[in-house]
Structure formats: C-alpha cells, structure tokens
Amino acid sequence: MSLWHRSIGKLYRSVVGKLWATIMLLVAVVLLIVGVFLLQYVDIWFKENNTHQVKVLFVVTAIIGFLLSTFFAFFLSKKIQQPLLQLKDAAVSISQGNYTTRVHIRSSDEIGELADTFNHMTEQLNKLIHDINHEKNHLASILRSMGDSVITFDAEGKVILTNPVGHLLINQWSGVELAWQEDESESSTSYSEVPMPLRELFQRVMEEGRDVTDKVHVLSSVWSVVMAPLQSKDVIRGAVAVIRNVTEEHKLEKLRRDFVANISHEIRTPLSMLQGYSEALLDDIVVSEEDRKELVQVIYDESLRMGRLVNDFLDIARMEAGHVDMNFQEIDLAHVLKRVHRKFQVYAKEREVRLVADLPNESLLVKEADEDRLEQVLTNLLDNALRHTPSGKSITISGQHANVNGRQYVELRVRDEGQGIPTEDVPFIFERFYKADKARKRGSSSGTGLGLAIVKNLIDLHQGRIVVESSAGTGTSFTILLPVEAHQ
C-alpha cells in the first residue's frame, strides 16, 4: 500500500498528474451537466423498451470520453513536461558549477522562448563567472608577486585573505603576543585573532572608519603599516593592512641624522679655534713672539686635523660607493709590518712607549692584496694604539700563518696596553664617528672617528675579517685575518 500511496503522491505532484486531474474534472462536470439536463427527456423521446439501451449507451459514451480525455491529457502533458524537465536538469547542472550547460528545445511557443532566454542567461552567467575568475587570478598573482605583506581582516578580526609574505609575517608575529600583552589595554583584547602589533591600529580603523598609517617596532625591526577600512553601504565590514619592512630605510635615516650631527660636531670645534686664534692674531692681542708662534701652531694643527677629517670622509664615502681602485697583487706582509714598525719607532720613543714587532722567520705571502691599503690599515691601528697607550707601556705588532676551517690565512695583530675600550662599546667601534670617549675630549688622543670605519671597509674589500678584544683598563687587541689564496 505504501508503494501505491507514494506513486499516487508522485503523480499528483507532477505536471502530468495535475493536468490529467484537471481534464478529468472538466470532463466529469460536462458529462454530469449533460446527464442532468438530458436524462429526464430520455423517457419522453424514446419508447419505454429503448430507454434502458439509451442509458447504457450514455454510460458507455461517458467511459469512452474519460478514456480518450485521459489519453490526450497524458499526451499533451508529456509534450509540456519534457522541456520543463530539460530546464530543471539544466538548472541543477548550473547550480553544480557547470555553466556551459544549454537547453536544446526547438519550439516557437512560450516554452521555446523560455528555453532561448534560459540559454542566453547561462551564456551571460558563464561569461560573468569567467571574468570574475580571471580578475580573481589576476589579483592573486599580484598579491603573490608583492614584496609587501597584505592582510585582510573581517569585522571580527579574523584573517580572510593574505598573500604568502603576509602569511609568513603572521607566523613570525604570533610569537610576540606575550611580549606585547603587558603594554596593551584591555579594550583591544576583543580582536584576539589580529596580530598584537596591529591590534591597536585595527581597533582605530574599525572605530573611526578612516585610513591609518603608522610604524611599529617588532623584534628589532621597523614596519610601516597602512590600514584602510573595507566599507559596504556605510557599514565597515573589515580592514586591509599593507605592511612593509622599513628597517633598512630607518637605519639609513638614522645614519644620515647621526652623520649630520657628528660631522657638524667634528668640524665646529676646529673652525671655532681657527676663527678665535686668527682674530687674536689680527687684533694684536698676543704680544710676545712665543705666544704668537703657539697660536700659529694651534691654527696649523687644527687645519691639519680638518684636512684629515675631510680626507677620511672622502675615503670612506668612496669605499661604501664601490669607487675604490684596488691594486691587488702578491705581496709579503712581513715587509709591510717591518716598514710600519720602522715608521712609528721614532714616534713611540718620543712618547716613551715600547713598540715591539713579533715576526716569524718565514715570509707571509698573500696572493691578492693591496700593499698601500694594508699599510694604511696598520697605520690607523698603530696610530690609535699610540694615542691611547700611556708612557711606560708597550705595543706589539705581530704576524703569523693561521688555519681557520680548513682555509689558510695570514693573521696580523696589533695589541696595546692602553686604557682599553668599555665592553658595551666594543660592538660599535667600527661605525662612523663612533667614539668610546663619550665626552669627545680634545687633545693629542682625539681622532676623527672615521679611522676604524675605514679599516673595516678595507679589510672587507680584501675578503678578510677583523675582530677586536678589549675591556676597560686591560688594553686592546685588533686581529686581522687575510686569505692566502686569490679571491673567488
């Protein structure tokens, strides 16, 4: 019975069943009306013995009429149902993503017009979806090729779109939650899925509905963040952030500011002294010839110092720009050490400092090196050592062969027994204008602040390394490693 009921229900819900039931109902109504009006006249029109036959004929005619109506109802409904089923199957196919589906119905009636409209709609829909996918792929390619991080958040702070660089950045910043947690207010904790460095900016964008630009410092790096709201009908539905690593730009800007400040500081004092002493000479304030010579000597010394400062600055500028002409050739560093030792021997005796040269008996050959530049390196190091070593102490320059990680090097060392460098200043001594003497005292021990920066650049040009070991009060040791083989 259940199968019979399901079949009847399915037939009733179909177009065929509804159309057949409608036609049957119409036929039944017509026959009933005809019967009501005609049966009462049958006995009058026909003889009594023919009345029963007429009634039977009437019933048979009604049954034949029902059967013929049923046949034509099913035939007509089948013609209507077939294109409708095709349209239904095509709609299901389109809903599953097959936008190339078409309905093949050739008819000039309303159903044919419906099929043509359906095909045109699917064609336009297919074109629209293709254009959307093309734009989506184009946007995805742009995002993948961007060096900046792009992260899109919804209104609740969840990440809904990001490029590969942004995904890596989120993973990196996920470890700084605890470091930022203590400094963040409780009002910004509602967007827990937004990375902590961006949480405050995201909250401002969601509240104010305008673009926000700021710089954040994360893990010793500086990041420039531009965050804009995503609006739809005056409703903020999220925000998009473009993040760029500007650490190098920040360092260069700081270097530029420091350079302007340092060069101004370095030049201002000798210029003031030159101007003051020159005015003293012009105004005849100095009476004795001895005082006059002393002032002239100071002017001369300060002019030499300014000349050294300008020359050192030009040298380091050329080195950092890669415009230094290097004359690489095979040299014996033992001869360079002996020449530098002999050049500073007299100056060391005048300062009562013992200058010792500890050299091996064999030669210290290097396949590719610039002899003049290396002599400049040793000259700078020895000049610093003599200026910071008090009388009665000693300075040692030495050279030897060394093997580091299977490669042959020549190790040069300049070691003094001077005042040393504070431990906290050691990592910065190769920076331009950096001085361990924070007071920048003038006198015989003052320098330009560029000597060690020049030394570092020259050693780098030789593919070598220079390290310093020092602490306050224990002296300083500079060690240089130069590769023996030619540069690759």
Side-chain angles (χ1 to χ4, degrees):
M1 291 296 294
S2 60
L3 179 61
W4 171 255
H5 286 302
R6 286 199 300 269
S7 300
I8 294 299
K10 184 176 180 181
L11 180 63
Y12 177 75
R13 289 191 298 269
S14 66
V15 175
V16 174
K18 291 180 180 179
L19 186 59
W20 176 78
T22 302
I23 295 176
M24 290 300 99
L25 181 61
L26 291 175
V27 171
V29 171
V30 170
L31 291 177
L32 287 176
I33 294 173
V34 172
V36 170
F37 283 97
L38 295 180
L39 286 178
Q40 58 182 333
Y41 298 105
V42 171
D43 294 335
I44 299 174
W45 291 345
F46 300 97
K47 295 179 179 180
E48 185 175 354
N49 56 355
N50 293 329
T51 301
H52 178 70
Q53 296 178 358
V54 172
K55 291 180 179 179
V56 171
L57 179 63
F58 185 81
V59 172
V60 172
T61 302
I63 294 174
I64 294 174
F66 270 107
L67 293 176
L68 291 175
S69 300
T70 301
F71 173 77
F72 284 111
F74 275 95
F75 177 78
L76 181 61
S77 61
K78 192 65 176 179
K79 289 295 183 180
I80 298 175
Q81 186 188 33
Q82 185 175 3
L84 293 178
L85 290 176
Q86 292 183 22
L87 288 171
K88 186 197 76 169
D89 295 338
V92 171
S93 178
I94 291 175
S95 66
Q96 295 175 352
N98 186 10
Y99 300 105
T100 61
T101 303
R102 298 293 183 270
V103 178
H104 301 286
I105 298 177
R106 298 293 180 264
S107 177
S108 59
D109 54 9
E110 289 82 358
I111 295 179
E113 293 178 359
L114 176 61
D116 293 338
T117 304
F118 184 87
N119 291 334
H120 180 70
M121 180 193 69
T122 55
E123 182 179 354
Q124 294 298 321
L125 183 61
N126 184 35
K127 181 180 179 182
L128 178 61
I129 296 298
H130 179 270
D131 293 340
I132 292 176
N133 288 332
H134 178 74
E135 292 297 327
K136 181 181 178 181
N137 294 332
H138 185 62
L139 178 61
S141 300
I142 293 175
L143 289 177
R144 285 195 302 268
S145 62
M146 287 182 64
D148 298 343
S149 302
V150 180
I151 308 174
T152 305
F153 304 96
D154 61 10
E156 298 178 356
K158 297 180 180 179
V159 178
I160 58 177
L161 178 65
T162 180
N163 61 345
V165 183
H167 182 71
L168 293 176
L169 185 66
I170 292 176
N171 293 336
Q172 292 176 2
W173 284 4
S174 61
V176 302
E177 293 287 329
L178 296 178
W180 285 64
Q181 192 69 40
E182 299 178 356
D183 299 331
E184 291 294 314
S185 60
E186 295 182 357
S187 60
S188 64
T189 58
S190 57
Y191 306 111
S192 58
E193 296 191 19
V194 179
M196 187 65 72
L198 302 177
R199 197 166 295 173
E200 182 180 354
L201 294 178
F202 180 77
Q203 184 176 4
R204 287 171 53 189
V205 169
M206 296 301 295
E207 292 176 353
E208 301 175 6
R210 60 181 181 86
D211 296 0
V212 176
T213 303
D214 200 357
K215 289 184 179 180
V216 295
H217 296 256
V218 185
L219 301 176
S220 303
S221 299
V222 183
W223 303 83
S224 174
V225 182
V226 179
M227 189 174 293
L230 298 175
Q231 295 182 342
S232 178
K233 296 181 180 179
D234 298 330
V235 177
I236 301 177
R237 56 184 180 86
V240 57
V242 180
I243 308 168
R244 173 178 296 179
N245 190 340
V246 294
T247 304
E248 292 300 324
E249 291 85 343
H250 182 75
K251 289 181 179 179
L252 290 175
E253 179 63 20
K254 183 178 182 300
L255 183 63
R256 184 188 65 82
R257 291 196 302 266
D258 293 344
F259 167 73
V260 172
N262 287 323
I263 196 67
S264 301
H265 181 88
E266 294 292 338
I267 293 179
R268 181 177 56 195
T269 300
L271 283 178
S272 299
M273 297 180 68
L274 289 174
Q275 181 180 359
Y277 290 169
S278 299
E279 290 177 353
L281 293 175
L282 290 174
D283 296 339
D284 292 331
I285 297 176
V286 181
V287 179
S288 64
E289 186 65 24
E290 183 178 352
D291 293 338
R292 185 182 299 275
K293 289 183 179 180
E294 183 178 353
L295 293 182
V296 172
Q297 184 64 41
V298 172
I299 293 174
Y300 176 73
D301 292 339
E302 291 300 323
S303 64
L304 290 179
R305 186 175 183 280
M306 286 188 63
R308 290 197 305 270
L309 177 64
V310 172
N311 290 331
D312 289 347
F313 175 70
L314 291 176
D315 286 343
I316 196 170
R318 283 194 296 264
M319 292 176 191
E320 293 183 350
H323 297 157
V324 181
D325 294 329
M326 303 293 291
N327 182 23
F328 289 114
Q329 56 183 346
E330 185 180 38
I331 64 172
D332 186 356
L333 291 178
H335 297 323
V336 179
L337 289 174
K338 292 177 182 178
R339 186 163 60 250
V340 173
H341 174 263
R342 185 168 56 251
K343 181 171 59 176
F344 280 90
Q345 189 67 39
V346 176
Y347 184 45
K349 289 181 179 179
E350 291 178 355
R351 295 185 58 84
E352 298 180 356
V353 174
R354 191 164 61 94
L355 183 59
V356 180
D358 184 9
L359 302 177
N361 295 327
E362 68 273 11
S363 60
L364 301 175
L365 290 177
V366 176
K367 295 294 181 61
E368 284 189 1
D370 190 321
E371 186 172 355
D372 293 336
R373 298 295 183 179
L374 291 179
E375 183 174 347
Q376 181 182 358
V377 167
L378 295 173
T379 299
N380 279 335
L381 294 178
L382 277 176
D383 183 67
N384 286 339
L386 285 169
R387 285 190 285 108
H388 293 90
T389 302
S391 301
K393 300 293 184 177
S394 63
I395 299 174
T396 303
I397 59 173
S398 61
Q400 61 180 359
H401 291 282
N403 188 302
V404 179
N405 297 328
R407 293 189 62 186
Q408 295 297 322
Y409 290 87
V410 171
E411 179 184 283
L412 306 180
R413 179 170 296 176
V414 178
R415 185 174 62 252
D416 63 62
E417 297 177 353
Q419 60 192 25
I421 304 172
T423 304
E424 63 273 14
D425 293 323
V426 171
F428 309 103
I429 62 172
F430 293 111
E431 294 183 4
R432 291 185 295 180
F433 295 107
Y434 190 87
K435 292 184 178 181
D437 180 12
K438 300 300 188 299
R440 296 178 180 270
K441 297 178 181 178
R442 299 296 171 188
S444 60
S445 64
S446 65
T448 63
L450 293 173
L452 292 179
I454 294 175
V455 168
K456 179 67 166 58
N457 276 276
L458 289 176
I459 297 302
D460 289 341
L461 291 174
H462 283 81
Q463 307 296 322
R465 287 180 289 172
I466 180 170
V467 295
V468 57
E469 299 174 3
S470 181
S471 59
T474 60
T476 305
S477 175
F478 286 92
T479 302
I480 300 172
L481 289 176
L482 296 172
V484 174
E485 299 299 327
H487 308 156
Q488 299 297 325

